[in-house]
Amino acid sequence: MANRNFHVHLVSDSTGETVSSVARACLVQYEGIFVQEHVWSLVRSPAQMEKVMQAVERDRGPVLYTLVDPELRDVVRDHCRRLQLPCVGVLDQAMSVLAVHFHSKSEQWPGRQHQLDEGYFDRIDAMHYTLAHDDGQSTHDLEDADVILVGPSRTSKTPTCVYLANRGVRAANVPLVPQVPPPVELEEARRPLIVGLITDPERLVQIRVNRLRLMQQDTESEYTDMDTVQSEIQEARRLYARRKWATIDVTRRSIEETAAAILQMLATRREQRLQST
């Protein structure tokens, strides 16, 4: 039964990010199959939907959708019923529960989560700040950050910061370089949440070697020496303990999991500050 091939159609009246994320979160749980995803975004008219349904009939497979227009939803359901294909509105149950709880009907507004509101501009501002403060740049205004990630080279600081910026978090990162003291601005920062990242030395060596190979550089150096890397991690641990910074081991964490842990820390910190005022 291995290596089976399937088609899945993801239909959205907006960018398709939501339905794609839900589909992939589900599909990774199945091994031994190959799924070709057909993403149909910005589908907002019957004519566009008709073309999508023609493709569904040609490459038959389940249809997952996020559509707010009742007419378009009916078209998808009716067509899939005729083809005897599964059809799932990935937000339907959540929206139904919320409508009952709020005693209110939802607005029929495609892509409303992407509107240019204050939250959107906050995310843009956060991204600008994060890019300007990547890898120890512009340390003079670290106090303006929401969170500062600290750690040895290749501990996922930059991608985690970018992920956080997409959530509206002003995230800076500062690398720990052997024999080089951290910048004074980091030591003096009081407002930001400072999080130290560590990882397994063997895993870190492997990541660094692969990185150097991609850059066609020499892989034999202190940068990839096991003893040196172990010393880096130990020194990082001592620094975090001395400064009483939060610590996250990213060895077996994805970027999303690390970011989720940091967001939880930020939420807890905000609650504590509110309670103290």
Side-chain angles (χ1 to χ4, degrees), residues 209-252:
V209 167
N210 290 338
R211 174 68 173 173
L212 291 174
R213 283 174 179 167
L214 285 174
M215 299 174 64
Q216 297 183 337
Q217 295 183 6
D218 184 14
T219 60
E220 298 293 332
S221 66
E222 287 192 354
Y223 185 65
T224 56
D225 177 73
M226 179 58 71
D227 290 338
T228 303
V229 172
Q230 287 178 333
S231 178
E232 279 188 64
I233 297 299
Q234 290 171 359
E235 184 56 37
R237 287 182 181 274
R238 284 193 287 267
L239 173 65
Y240 304 159
R242 187 168 63 250
R243 300 294 299 174
K244 297 182 180 180
W245 292 336
T247 303
I248 296 178
D249 189 335
V250 300
T251 305
R252 294 178 178 84

mmCIF file of all heavy atoms in Angstrom, residues 209-252:
data_model
loop_
_atom_site.group_PDB
_atom_site.id
_atom_site.type_symbol
_atom_site.label_atom_id
_atom_site.label_comp_id
_atom_site.label_asym_id
_atom_site.label_seq_id
_atom_site.Cartn_x
_atom_site.Cartn_y
_atom_site.Cartn_z
ATOM 1 N N VAL A 209 28.268 22.048 9.580
ATOM 2 C CA VAL A 209 28.992 21.394 8.486
ATOM 3 C C VAL A 209 28.172 21.468 7.202
ATOM 4 O O VAL A 209 28.688 21.790 6.121
ATOM 5 C CB VAL A 209 29.312 19.932 8.846
ATOM 6 C CG1 VAL A 209 29.777 19.162 7.602
ATOM 7 C CG2 VAL A 209 30.385 19.873 9.927
ATOM 8 N N ASN A 210 26.891 21.177 7.293
ATOM 9 C CA ASN A 210 26.034 21.234 6.105
ATOM 10 C C ASN A 210 25.970 22.643 5.544
ATOM 11 O O ASN A 210 25.971 22.834 4.314
ATOM 12 C CB ASN A 210 24.621 20.760 6.461
ATOM 13 C CG ASN A 210 24.566 19.271 6.756
ATOM 14 O OD1 ASN A 210 25.441 18.506 6.331
ATOM 15 N ND2 ASN A 210 23.539 18.842 7.476
ATOM 16 N N ARG A 211 25.932 23.620 6.416
ATOM 17 C CA ARG A 211 25.905 25.016 5.983
ATOM 18 C C ARG A 211 27.174 25.376 5.223
ATOM 19 O O ARG A 211 27.124 25.999 4.155
ATOM 20 C CB ARG A 211 25.736 25.923 7.202
ATOM 21 C CG ARG A 211 25.837 27.412 6.922
ATOM 22 C CD ARG A 211 24.695 27.921 6.096
ATOM 23 N NE ARG A 211 24.716 29.359 5.979
ATOM 24 C CZ ARG A 211 23.899 30.053 5.190
ATOM 25 N NH1 ARG A 211 22.992 29.420 4.465
ATOM 26 N NH2 ARG A 211 23.973 31.362 5.135
ATOM 27 N N LEU A 212 28.328 24.981 5.754
ATOM 28 C CA LEU A 212 29.601 25.284 5.101
ATOM 29 C C LEU A 212 29.724 24.575 3.767
ATOM 30 O O LEU A 212 30.282 25.115 2.805
ATOM 31 C CB LEU A 212 30.762 24.901 6.020
ATOM 32 C CG LEU A 212 30.918 25.762 7.283
ATOM 33 C CD1 LEU A 212 32.008 25.190 8.176
ATOM 34 C CD2 LEU A 212 31.233 27.212 6.919
ATOM 35 N N ARG A 213 29.217 23.362 3.685
ATOM 36 C CA ARG A 213 29.254 22.628 2.423
ATOM 37 C C ARG A 213 28.425 23.327 1.354
ATOM 38 O O ARG A 213 28.829 23.402 0.194
ATOM 39 C CB ARG A 213 28.746 21.202 2.631
ATOM 40 C CG ARG A 213 29.773 20.286 3.305
ATOM 41 C CD ARG A 213 29.182 18.926 3.615
ATOM 42 N NE ARG A 213 30.183 18.057 4.223
ATOM 43 C CZ ARG A 213 29.902 16.913 4.823
ATOM 44 N NH1 ARG A 213 28.636 16.499 4.917
ATOM 45 N NH2 ARG A 213 30.874 16.178 5.349
ATOM 46 N N LEU A 214 27.259 23.824 1.752
ATOM 47 C CA LEU A 214 26.424 24.553 0.805
ATOM 48 C C LEU A 214 27.125 25.804 0.295
ATOM 49 O O LEU A 214 26.950 26.201 -0.861
ATOM 50 C CB LEU A 214 25.096 24.938 1.463
ATOM 51 C CG LEU A 214 24.067 23.819 1.663
ATOM 52 C CD1 LEU A 214 22.878 24.327 2.460
ATOM 53 C CD2 LEU A 214 23.593 23.290 0.306
ATOM 54 N N MET A 215 27.936 26.411 1.172
ATOM 55 C CA MET A 215 28.668 27.616 0.796
ATOM 56 C C MET A 215 30.030 27.286 0.177
ATOM 57 O O MET A 215 30.797 28.190 -0.148
ATOM 58 C CB MET A 215 28.873 28.494 2.031
ATOM 59 C CG MET A 215 27.566 28.960 2.660
ATOM 60 S SD MET A 215 27.817 29.852 4.228
ATOM 61 C CE MET A 215 28.733 31.284 3.661
ATOM 62 N N GLN A 216 30.289 25.965 0.024
ATOM 63 C CA GLN A 216 31.545 25.480 -0.559
ATOM 64 C C GLN A 216 32.761 26.021 0.191
ATOM 65 O O GLN A 216 33.741 26.454 -0.401
ATOM 66 C CB GLN A 216 31.617 25.847 -2.046
ATOM 67 C CG GLN A 216 30.519 25.198 -2.882
ATOM 68 C CD GLN A 216 30.642 25.509 -4.363
ATOM 69 O OE1 GLN A 216 31.240 26.504 -4.765
ATOM 70 N NE2 GLN A 216 30.101 24.636 -5.187
ATOM 71 N N GLN A 217 32.650 25.958 1.523
ATOM 72 C CA GLN A 217 33.750 26.398 2.376
ATOM 73 C C GLN A 217 34.323 25.216 3.145
ATOM 74 O O GLN A 217 33.703 24.152 3.244
ATOM 75 C CB GLN A 217 33.258 27.481 3.352
ATOM 76 C CG GLN A 217 32.814 28.770 2.676
ATOM 77 C CD GLN A 217 32.414 29.834 3.693
ATOM 78 O OE1 GLN A 217 32.555 29.668 4.897
ATOM 79 N NE2 GLN A 217 31.894 30.953 3.190
ATOM 80 N N ASP A 218 35.512 25.419 3.689
ATOM 81 C CA ASP A 218 36.190 24.370 4.446
ATOM 82 C C ASP A 218 35.374 23.996 5.684
ATOM 83 O O ASP A 218 34.973 24.858 6.466
ATOM 84 C CB ASP A 218 37.584 24.856 4.867
ATOM 85 C CG ASP A 218 38.381 23.764 5.572
ATOM 86 O OD1 ASP A 218 37.975 22.580 5.511
ATOM 87 O OD2 ASP A 218 39.416 24.105 6.187
ATOM 88 N N THR A 219 35.117 22.705 5.861
ATOM 89 C CA THR A 219 34.314 22.245 6.996
ATOM 90 C C THR A 219 35.163 21.885 8.212
ATOM 91 O O THR A 219 34.624 21.530 9.265
ATOM 92 C CB THR A 219 33.478 21.019 6.593
ATOM 93 O OG1 THR A 219 34.347 19.961 6.172
ATOM 94 C CG2 THR A 219 32.506 21.359 5.469
ATOM 95 N N GLU A 220 36.478 21.955 8.075
ATOM 96 C CA GLU A 220 37.372 21.621 9.193
ATOM 97 C C GLU A 220 37.874 22.910 9.832
ATOM 98 O O GLU A 220 38.775 23.571 9.319
ATOM 99 C CB GLU A 220 38.559 20.777 8.695
ATOM 100 C CG GLU A 220 38.164 19.439 8.088
ATOM 101 C CD GLU A 220 37.584 18.494 9.125
ATOM 102 O OE1 GLU A 220 37.947 18.617 10.312
ATOM 103 O OE2 GLU A 220 36.775 17.616 8.749
ATOM 104 N N SER A 221 37.248 23.292 10.952
ATOM 105 C CA SER A 221 37.655 24.511 11.653
ATOM 106 C C SER A 221 37.101 24.457 13.069
ATOM 107 O O SER A 221 36.359 23.542 13.429
ATOM 108 C CB SER A 221 37.128 25.755 10.927
ATOM 109 O OG SER A 221 35.704 25.790 10.994
ATOM 110 N N GLU A 222 37.466 25.455 13.870
ATOM 111 C CA GLU A 222 36.933 25.512 15.227
ATOM 112 C C GLU A 222 35.413 25.661 15.220
ATOM 113 O O GLU A 222 34.734 25.236 16.157
ATOM 114 C CB GLU A 222 37.561 26.682 15.992
ATOM 115 C CG GLU A 222 39.014 26.460 16.390
ATOM 116 C CD GLU A 222 39.495 27.511 17.377
ATOM 117 O OE1 GLU A 222 38.720 28.457 17.652
ATOM 118 O OE2 GLU A 222 40.625 27.368 17.882
ATOM 119 N N TYR A 223 34.905 26.236 14.169
ATOM 120 C CA TYR A 223 33.457 26.447 14.045
ATOM 121 C C TYR A 223 32.694 25.125 14.090
ATOM 122 O O TYR A 223 31.553 25.069 14.557
ATOM 123 C CB TYR A 223 33.184 27.190 12.730
ATOM 124 C CG TYR A 223 31.741 27.585 12.497
ATOM 125 C CD1 TYR A 223 31.099 28.508 13.323
ATOM 126 C CD2 TYR A 223 31.039 27.065 11.412
ATOM 127 C CE1 TYR A 223 29.789 28.890 13.084
ATOM 128 C CE2 TYR A 223 29.727 27.451 11.166
ATOM 129 C CZ TYR A 223 29.104 28.351 12.007
ATOM 130 O OH TYR A 223 27.810 28.734 11.764
ATOM 131 N N THR A 224 33.347 24.054 13.609
ATOM 132 C CA THR A 224 32.698 22.748 13.579
ATOM 133 C C THR A 224 33.404 21.723 14.469
ATOM 134 O O THR A 224 33.069 20.535 14.427
ATOM 135 C CB THR A 224 32.649 22.213 12.135
ATOM 136 O OG1 THR A 224 33.993 22.169 11.603
ATOM 137 C CG2 THR A 224 31.786 23.100 11.253
ATOM 138 N N ASP A 225 34.369 22.159 15.240
ATOM 139 C CA ASP A 225 35.085 21.249 16.138
ATOM 140 C C ASP A 225 34.187 20.893 17.324
ATOM 141 O O ASP A 225 33.643 21.784 17.995
ATOM 142 C CB ASP A 225 36.370 21.908 16.632
ATOM 143 C CG ASP A 225 37.118 21.027 17.628
ATOM 144 O OD1 ASP A 225 37.705 20.017 17.204
ATOM 145 O OD2 ASP A 225 37.080 21.374 18.833
ATOM 146 N N MET A 226 34.030 19.604 17.594
ATOM 147 C CA MET A 226 33.099 19.158 18.623
ATOM 148 C C MET A 226 33.432 19.728 19.996
ATOM 149 O O MET A 226 32.549 20.194 20.723
ATOM 150 C CB MET A 226 33.053 17.631 18.681
ATOM 151 C CG MET A 226 32.121 17.075 19.756
ATOM 152 S SD MET A 226 30.396 17.642 19.583
ATOM 153 C CE MET A 226 29.940 16.713 18.107
ATOM 154 N N ASP A 227 34.694 19.695 20.380
ATOM 155 C CA ASP A 227 35.077 20.211 21.691
ATOM 156 C C ASP A 227 34.763 21.698 21.811
ATOM 157 O O ASP A 227 34.274 22.172 22.842
ATOM 158 C CB ASP A 227 36.567 19.968 21.949
ATOM 159 C CG ASP A 227 36.880 18.491 22.150
ATOM 160 O OD1 ASP A 227 35.952 17.733 22.505
ATOM 161 O OD2 ASP A 227 38.044 18.100 21.937
ATOM 162 N N THR A 228 35.043 22.434 20.738
ATOM 163 C CA THR A 228 34.775 23.871 20.752
ATOM 164 C C THR A 228 33.286 24.154 20.836
ATOM 165 O O THR A 228 32.842 25.042 21.581
ATOM 166 C CB THR A 228 35.354 24.535 19.492
ATOM 167 O OG1 THR A 228 36.762 24.272 19.415
ATOM 168 C CG2 THR A 228 35.122 26.035 19.505
ATOM 169 N N VAL A 229 32.504 23.397 20.092
ATOM 170 C CA VAL A 229 31.055 23.589 20.090
ATOM 171 C C VAL A 229 30.462 23.247 21.459
ATOM 172 O O VAL A 229 29.592 23.958 21.968
ATOM 173 C CB VAL A 229 30.392 22.754 18.978
ATOM 174 C CG1 VAL A 229 28.871 22.805 19.098
ATOM 175 C CG2 VAL A 229 30.819 23.261 17.601
ATOM 176 N N GLN A 230 30.942 22.173 22.060
ATOM 177 C CA GLN A 230 30.476 21.823 23.406
ATOM 178 C C GLN A 230 30.785 22.944 24.403
ATOM 179 O O GLN A 230 29.961 23.266 25.255
ATOM 180 C CB GLN A 230 31.130 20.515 23.857
ATOM 181 C CG GLN A 230 30.590 19.285 23.152
ATOM 182 C CD GLN A 230 31.289 18.007 23.590
ATOM 183 O OE1 GLN A 230 32.449 18.035 24.016
ATOM 184 N NE2 GLN A 230 30.602 16.881 23.488
ATOM 185 N N SER A 231 31.965 23.539 24.250
ATOM 186 C CA SER A 231 32.341 24.651 25.112
ATOM 187 C C SER A 231 31.423 25.849 24.882
ATOM 188 O O SER A 231 31.042 26.542 25.837
ATOM 189 C CB SER A 231 33.797 25.039 24.852
ATOM 190 O OG SER A 231 34.181 26.141 25.637
ATOM 191 N N GLU A 232 31.059 26.108 23.620
ATOM 192 C CA GLU A 232 30.135 27.201 23.297
ATOM 193 C C GLU A 232 28.798 27.019 24.009
ATOM 194 O O GLU A 232 28.251 27.969 24.600
ATOM 195 C CB GLU A 232 29.882 27.254 21.787
ATOM 196 C CG GLU A 232 30.952 27.940 20.974
ATOM 197 C CD GLU A 232 30.509 28.104 19.529
ATOM 198 O OE1 GLU A 232 29.521 28.840 19.295
ATOM 199 O OE2 GLU A 232 31.119 27.466 18.641
ATOM 200 N N ILE A 233 28.276 25.790 23.941
ATOM 201 C CA ILE A 233 26.977 25.518 24.550
ATOM 202 C C ILE A 233 27.048 25.663 26.068
ATOM 203 O O ILE A 233 26.160 26.239 26.702
ATOM 204 C CB ILE A 233 26.480 24.107 24.164
ATOM 205 C CG1 ILE A 233 26.267 24.015 22.643
ATOM 206 C CG2 ILE A 233 25.184 23.777 24.893
ATOM 207 C CD1 ILE A 233 25.230 24.973 22.105
ATOM 208 N N GLN A 234 28.122 25.149 26.646
ATOM 209 C CA GLN A 234 28.277 25.256 28.099
ATOM 210 C C GLN A 234 28.388 26.704 28.550
ATOM 211 O O GLN A 234 27.784 27.113 29.545
ATOM 212 C CB GLN A 234 29.520 24.472 28.540
ATOM 213 C CG GLN A 234 29.370 22.960 28.409
ATOM 214 C CD GLN A 234 30.680 22.220 28.655
ATOM 215 O OE1 GLN A 234 31.722 22.847 28.907
ATOM 216 N NE2 GLN A 234 30.638 20.893 28.572
ATOM 217 N N GLU A 235 29.140 27.501 27.804
ATOM 218 C CA GLU A 235 29.297 28.908 28.143
ATOM 219 C C GLU A 235 27.973 29.651 27.981
ATOM 220 O O GLU A 235 27.643 30.543 28.767
ATOM 221 C CB GLU A 235 30.365 29.544 27.255
ATOM 222 C CG GLU A 235 30.681 31.000 27.590
ATOM 223 C CD GLU A 235 31.105 31.188 29.044
ATOM 224 O OE1 GLU A 235 31.810 30.298 29.588
ATOM 225 O OE2 GLU A 235 30.721 32.214 29.647
ATOM 226 N N ALA A 236 27.206 29.271 26.946
ATOM 227 C CA ALA A 236 25.897 29.895 26.747
ATOM 228 C C ALA A 236 24.984 29.590 27.932
ATOM 229 O O ALA A 236 24.294 30.475 28.442
ATOM 230 C CB ALA A 236 25.264 29.394 25.449
ATOM 231 N N ARG A 237 24.987 28.340 28.378
ATOM 232 C CA ARG A 237 24.168 27.957 29.530
ATOM 233 C C ARG A 237 24.550 28.774 30.769
ATOM 234 O O ARG A 237 23.678 29.237 31.517
ATOM 235 C CB ARG A 237 24.318 26.464 29.820
ATOM 236 C CG ARG A 237 23.617 25.538 28.823
ATOM 237 C CD ARG A 237 23.806 24.086 29.252
ATOM 238 N NE ARG A 237 23.192 23.140 28.357
ATOM 239 C CZ ARG A 237 21.923 22.752 28.411
ATOM 240 N NH1 ARG A 237 21.132 23.280 29.357
ATOM 241 N NH2 ARG A 237 21.435 21.876 27.559
ATOM 242 N N ARG A 238 25.845 28.939 30.970
ATOM 243 C CA ARG A 238 26.306 29.700 32.136
ATOM 244 C C ARG A 238 25.853 31.164 32.054
ATOM 245 O O ARG A 238 25.456 31.766 33.052
ATOM 246 C CB ARG A 238 27.828 29.605 32.261
ATOM 247 C CG ARG A 238 28.311 28.255 32.807
ATOM 248 C CD ARG A 238 29.770 28.320 33.204
ATOM 249 N NE ARG A 238 30.652 28.374 32.048
ATOM 250 C CZ ARG A 238 31.204 27.299 31.482
ATOM 251 N NH1 ARG A 238 30.960 26.087 31.982
ATOM 252 N NH2 ARG A 238 32.008 27.432 30.455
ATOM 253 N N LEU A 239 25.940 31.721 30.849
ATOM 254 C CA LEU A 239 25.506 33.111 30.663
ATOM 255 C C LEU A 239 24.016 33.254 30.960
ATOM 256 O O LEU A 239 23.598 34.186 31.670
ATOM 257 C CB LEU A 239 25.795 33.559 29.229
ATOM 258 C CG LEU A 239 25.237 34.931 28.828
ATOM 259 C CD1 LEU A 239 25.888 36.044 29.633
ATOM 260 C CD2 LEU A 239 25.426 35.165 27.325
ATOM 261 N N TYR A 240 23.197 32.353 30.418
ATOM 262 C CA TYR A 240 21.752 32.436 30.626
ATOM 263 C C TYR A 240 21.415 32.323 32.118
ATOM 264 O O TYR A 240 20.553 33.049 32.626
ATOM 265 C CB TYR A 240 21.026 31.328 29.861
ATOM 266 C CG TYR A 240 21.309 31.284 28.380
ATOM 267 C CD1 TYR A 240 21.092 30.118 27.647
ATOM 268 C CD2 TYR A 240 21.802 32.394 27.689
ATOM 269 C CE1 TYR A 240 21.337 30.054 26.282
ATOM 270 C CE2 TYR A 240 22.059 32.346 26.330
ATOM 271 C CZ TYR A 240 21.830 31.168 25.625
ATOM 272 O OH TYR A 240 22.092 31.101 24.282
ATOM 273 N N ALA A 241 22.100 31.395 32.793
ATOM 274 C CA ALA A 241 21.843 31.207 34.225
ATOM 275 C C ALA A 241 22.275 32.432 35.020
ATOM 276 O O ALA A 241 21.558 32.866 35.944
ATOM 277 C CB ALA A 241 22.576 29.964 34.725
ATOM 278 N N ARG A 242 23.406 32.999 34.637
ATOM 279 C CA ARG A 242 23.927 34.158 35.354
ATOM 280 C C ARG A 242 23.008 35.365 35.188
ATOM 281 O O ARG A 242 22.784 36.123 36.135
ATOM 282 C CB ARG A 242 25.340 34.476 34.842
ATOM 283 C CG ARG A 242 26.042 35.570 35.628
ATOM 284 C CD ARG A 242 27.510 35.628 35.280
ATOM 285 N NE ARG A 242 27.777 35.976 33.894
ATOM 286 C CZ ARG A 242 28.268 35.124 32.987
ATOM 287 N NH1 ARG A 242 28.531 33.874 33.319
ATOM 288 N NH2 ARG A 242 28.488 35.523 31.736
ATOM 289 N N ARG A 243 22.478 35.528 33.998
ATOM 290 C CA ARG A 243 21.603 36.668 33.726
ATOM 291 C C ARG A 243 20.137 36.363 34.024
ATOM 292 O O ARG A 243 19.283 37.238 33.887
ATOM 293 C CB ARG A 243 21.743 37.080 32.250
ATOM 294 C CG ARG A 243 23.164 37.494 31.849
ATOM 295 C CD ARG A 243 23.578 38.750 32.554
ATOM 296 N NE ARG A 243 22.701 39.875 32.213
ATOM 297 C CZ ARG A 243 22.751 41.064 32.772
ATOM 298 N NH1 ARG A 243 23.630 41.298 33.724
ATOM 299 N NH2 ARG A 243 21.926 42.022 32.405
ATOM 300 N N LYS A 244 19.854 35.106 34.378
ATOM 301 C CA LYS A 244 18.478 34.664 34.673
ATOM 302 C C LYS A 244 17.561 34.864 33.473
ATOM 303 O O LYS A 244 16.398 35.273 33.607
ATOM 304 C CB LYS A 244 17.936 35.395 35.908
ATOM 305 C CG LYS A 244 18.713 35.098 37.175
ATOM 306 C CD LYS A 244 18.114 35.802 38.382
ATOM 307 C CE LYS A 244 18.913 35.478 39.638
ATOM 308 N NZ LYS A 244 18.366 36.151 40.855
ATOM 309 N N TRP A 245 18.085 34.547 32.290
ATOM 310 C CA TRP A 245 17.296 34.612 31.068
ATOM 311 C C TRP A 245 16.567 33.295 30.859
ATOM 312 O O TRP A 245 17.066 32.228 31.222
ATOM 313 C CB TRP A 245 18.195 34.890 29.861
ATOM 314 C CG TRP A 245 18.804 36.258 29.854
ATOM 315 C CD1 TRP A 245 18.332 37.371 30.475
ATOM 316 C CD2 TRP A 245 19.993 36.653 29.163
ATOM 317 N NE1 TRP A 245 19.154 38.448 30.221
ATOM 318 C CE2 TRP A 245 20.190 38.040 29.413
ATOM 319 C CE3 TRP A 245 20.909 35.985 28.357
ATOM 320 C CZ2 TRP A 245 21.255 38.751 28.898
ATOM 321 C CZ3 TRP A 245 21.981 36.693 27.832
ATOM 322 C CH2 TRP A 245 22.146 38.067 28.099
ATOM 323 N N ALA A 246 15.400 33.354 30.251
ATOM 324 C CA ALA A 246 14.675 32.135 29.882
ATOM 325 C C ALA A 246 15.508 31.351 28.866
ATOM 326 O O ALA A 246 16.253 31.938 28.071
ATOM 327 C CB ALA A 246 13.325 32.494 29.279
ATOM 328 N N THR A 247 15.384 30.034 28.893
ATOM 329 C CA THR A 247 16.178 29.176 28.006
ATOM 330 C C THR A 247 15.276 28.191 27.285
ATOM 331 O O THR A 247 14.370 27.612 27.887
ATOM 332 C CB THR A 247 17.233 28.400 28.809
ATOM 333 O OG1 THR A 247 18.063 29.322 29.512
ATOM 334 C CG2 THR A 247 18.109 27.559 27.881
ATOM 335 N N ILE A 248 15.521 28.020 25.996
ATOM 336 C CA ILE A 248 14.779 27.036 25.202
ATOM 337 C C ILE A 248 15.776 26.151 24.464
ATOM 338 O O ILE A 248 16.676 26.644 23.774
ATOM 339 C CB ILE A 248 13.845 27.710 24.181
ATOM 340 C CG1 ILE A 248 12.761 28.531 24.893
ATOM 341 C CG2 ILE A 248 13.195 26.664 23.278
ATOM 342 C CD1 ILE A 248 11.829 29.257 23.944
ATOM 343 N N ASP A 249 15.616 24.847 24.616
ATOM 344 C CA ASP A 249 16.412 23.878 23.863
ATOM 345 C C ASP A 249 15.707 23.621 22.539
ATOM 346 O O ASP A 249 14.599 23.082 22.505
ATOM 347 C CB ASP A 249 16.544 22.572 24.650
ATOM 348 C CG ASP A 249 17.534 21.602 24.010
ATOM 349 O OD1 ASP A 249 17.744 21.688 22.784
ATOM 350 O OD2 ASP A 249 18.090 20.754 24.733
ATOM 351 N N VAL A 250 16.342 24.026 21.430
ATOM 352 C CA VAL A 250 15.695 23.933 20.123
ATOM 353 C C VAL A 250 16.062 22.665 19.370
ATOM 354 O O VAL A 250 15.710 22.521 18.199
ATOM 355 C CB VAL A 250 16.055 25.165 19.253
ATOM 356 C CG1 VAL A 250 15.604 26.442 19.925
ATOM 357 C CG2 VAL A 250 17.553 25.216 18.954
ATOM 358 N N THR A 251 16.748 21.727 20.036
ATOM 359 C CA THR A 251 17.234 20.525 19.350
ATOM 360 C C THR A 251 16.127 19.806 18.603
ATOM 361 O O THR A 251 16.280 19.445 17.430
ATOM 362 C CB THR A 251 17.886 19.558 20.356
ATOM 363 O OG1 THR A 251 18.904 20.240 21.074
ATOM 364 C CG2 THR A 251 18.500 18.365 19.624
ATOM 365 N N ARG A 252 15.015 19.564 19.253
ATOM 366 C CA ARG A 252 13.919 18.805 18.639
ATOM 367 C C ARG A 252 12.678 19.664 18.400
ATOM 368 O O ARG A 252 11.569 19.139 18.294
ATOM 369 C CB ARG A 252 13.566 17.601 19.532
ATOM 370 C CG ARG A 252 14.684 16.573 19.610
ATOM 371 C CD ARG A 252 14.344 15.423 20.539
ATOM 372 N NE ARG A 252 15.421 14.442 20.555
ATOM 373 C CZ ARG A 252 16.505 14.532 21.305
ATOM 374 N NH1 ARG A 252 16.670 15.578 22.098
ATOM 375 N NH2 ARG A 252 17.433 13.592 21.259
#
